[in-house]
Amino acid sequence: GDSVTQMEGPVTLSEEAFLTINCTYTATGYPSLFWYVQYPGEGLQLLLKATKADDKGSNKGFEATYRKETTSFHLEKGSVQVSDSAVYFCALLYYGNNRLAFGKGNQVVVIP
Amino acid sequence: EAQVTQNPRYLITVTGKKLTVTCSQNMNHEYMSWYRQDPGLGLRQIYYSMNVEVTDKGDVPEGYKVSRKEKRNFPLILESPSPNQTSLYFCASSQTGSGSYEQYFGPGTRLTVT
């Protein structure tokens, strides 16, 4: 079935460093892809999305490009801040029924 | 303010004691869903509903029930909770249709079953 794979393990980096979180997917057809963020003690909120191949989603300095040829949707930010510390989830939307399939999430810790 | 609310936010209970976690949204969304979040497993869908009186199983439905009698409410029922249902639970809602609509999440309910 459709699924999402995120890179293993937490990510710890210094303020102003470059952040990349890898996400690959397996799907029939062409799903929409999302990144959700979960700040400590809160629910998930949408960070960005892309609905078709080569689309680039962007928000709050984060970007991700929908790559059909590599079935990937990697999240990047050029200069992270301490306030970016959170858990990041990649997700795909099943066609036709609104269901989301999530990756396991990556804890990002930004050190001052 | 557009939001999804859940109650209670925290609950400690004992094995076998029936409980209900409520979920309500004020955005007139057709679609609602329940997820559980466990360390190392991410979010897994329990049940979802495409509209009133229309519900279906997600990936991990065993031990749970839901109902959708009104558009705004989607309660999660644990008839006989067990310790393996200790988890963080999230309710979510979204529009339906041909677009790729954002899902709005509630703040979560942390359940401990002893």
Side-chain angles (χ1 to χ4, degrees), chain A residues 3 5 13-14 18 20 24 28-29 33 37 45 67 77-79 89 93-95 97 103 110:
Chain A
S3 66
T5 301
L13 59 169
S14 299
F18 185 88
T20 299
T24 57
T28 52
L33 300 172
V37 59
Q45 52 187 278
R67 303 281 188 203
K77 185 174 185 181
S79 176
F89 293 93
L93 185 71
Y94 288 89
Y95 179 77
N97 68 13
V110 180

Side-chain angles (χ1 to χ4, degrees), chain A residues 8 31-34 36 38 41-47 49-51 87 89 93-105, chain B residues 9-10 31 35 37 40-45 48 50 57-59 88 90 94-97 99-108:
Chain A
E8 293 286 334
S32 295
L33 300 172
F34 301 81
Y36 280 82
Q38 183 181 29
E42 298 184 11
L44 280 73
Q45 52 187 278
L46 180 67
L47 181 60
K49 71 177 185 182
T51 58
V87 181
F89 293 93
L93 185 71
Y94 288 89
Y95 179 77
N97 68 13
N98 278 59
R99 293 185 63 195
L100 281 173
F102 284 92
K104 293 183 179 181
Chain B
R9 293 289 311 278
Y10 302 91
Y31 180 87
Y35 299 89
Q37 182 179 11
L41 297 177
L43 274 84
R44 295 177 293 168
Q45 190 177 49
Y48 66 99
M50 295 296 288
K57 296 177 181 178
D59 300 313
L88 179 58
F90 289 101
S94 74
Q95 293 177 267
T96 57
S100 299
Y101 297 110
E102 172 184 358
Q103 289 199 13
Y104 292 82
F105 284 78

Side-chain angles (χ1 to χ4, degrees), chain A residues 34-70:
Chain A
F34 301 81
W35 279 99
Y36 280 82
V37 59
Q38 183 181 29
Y39 297 104
E42 298 184 11
L44 280 73
Q45 52 187 278
L46 180 67
L47 181 60
L48 53 85
K49 71 177 185 182
T51 58
K52 60 184 187 298
D54 300 325
D55 264 4
K56 178 187 283 189
S58 62
N59 186 23
K60 299 181 181 180
F62 290 89
E63 293 183 339
T65 301
Y66 190 161
R67 303 281 188 203
K68 185 164 69 83
E69 64 276 12
T70 55

